[in-house]
Amino acid sequence: MDAQLAPEDRDRLLAEARLAVADALAGRPPRRIEPEGVFARRAGLFVSLHLGGELRGCIGHPDGNELLATVVPQCAVSAATGDPRFDAVTAAELARCVIEISVLGPITEVRDPHEILVGRDGLIAEQGWRRGLLLPQVAVEHGWDREAFLARTCAKAGLPPDAWKRGATIRRFEAEVFDDADAGWRKV
């Protein structure tokens, strides 16, 4: 990605994500975030919650057509309460959750699989109405090579693992990934 976010912008995004989830869990109406500074930026974004080192929820909006003022709280609340793989996060769990944000860069079509760099690129596989996305850090966390990453992204879309060889469209993106572990933010 071209320009990284300033540390204070990362902190603001993480703080607003946590506040949005806390408000939702307490039954408070969503707060309005002014679309200024980093929140005026349009970008794709994913929010992941981790508890005890395990994924607890992850929801995103990959298209860069919305302001971060809108997508940060929406994705954070959805990750905590609407990920169909998990029960909703409780207020007690939220206090122990690490919130991770992935701000996506431009999405481009892959013409040659050798363009894909594990650890740098996230992938999207599409064919017909099926679509699957895996963030860049997923391949690293699981120790996948390029072909395994492609196969797993196809499988996430509900496609055969080799669909990337048989007509599925593969797109890639970079992401700036950071979380609120420890006393501040860190690059993941």
Side-chain angles (χ1 to χ4, degrees):
M1 291 182 54
D2 297 333
Q4 287 196 332
L5 294 168
E8 56 273 11
D9 288 336
R10 291 176 175 196
D11 290 343
R12 290 178 63 209
L13 293 170
L14 290 162
E16 288 297 340
R18 188 169 290 280
L19 284 170
V21 174
D23 286 345
L25 295 178
R28 294 186 292 265
R31 299 171 345 104
R32 175 166 160 60
I33 300 172
E34 293 299 323
E36 56 192 28
V38 70
F39 292 102
R41 181 175 172 180
R42 292 183 189 278
L45 178 124
F46 276 75
V47 176
S48 304
L49 282 78
H50 299 271
L51 185 60
E54 297 294 321
L55 183 65
R56 190 62 181 79
C58 180
I59 298 288
H61 181 80
D63 304 319
N65 59 351
E66 295 283 339
L67 297 174
L68 290 181
T70 302
V71 295
V72 167
Q74 284 177 352
C75 291
V77 170
S78 292
T81 64
D83 187 327
R85 300 170 292 179
F86 303 97
D87 290 334
V89 169
T90 66
E93 287 176 320
L94 178 61
R96 299 186 326 267
C97 278
V98 172
I99 296 180
E100 177 184 272
I101 293 178
S102 301
V103 180
L104 278 54
I107 299 171
T108 59
E109 189 168 341
V110 173
R111 303 271 183 220
D112 177 351
H114 291 94
E115 297 173 6
I116 298 166
L117 181 60
V118 171
R120 178 195 68 190
D121 297 328
L123 297 179
I124 300 170
E126 293 178 287
Q127 193 167 39
W129 56 272
R130 296 181 183 271
R131 180 178 183 187
L133 181 148
L134 290 174
L135 295 167
Q137 60 269 36
V138 174
V140 174
E141 290 166 2
H142 293 283
W144 297 335
D145 62 14
R146 181 183 301 119
E147 288 201 12
F149 193 20
L150 282 159
R152 296 295 180 119
T153 307
C154 290
K156 177 103 187 255
L159 300 169
D162 66 344
W164 62 276
K165 297 178 185 176
R166 298 186 297 121
T169 299
I170 304 296
R171 297 187 297 154
R172 68 181 172 96
F173 59 89
E174 294 180 38
E176 187 170 349
V177 183
F178 50 96
D179 66 33
D180 64 357
D182 305 319
W185 64 268
R186 64 182 171 88
K187 179 81 170 115
V188 177

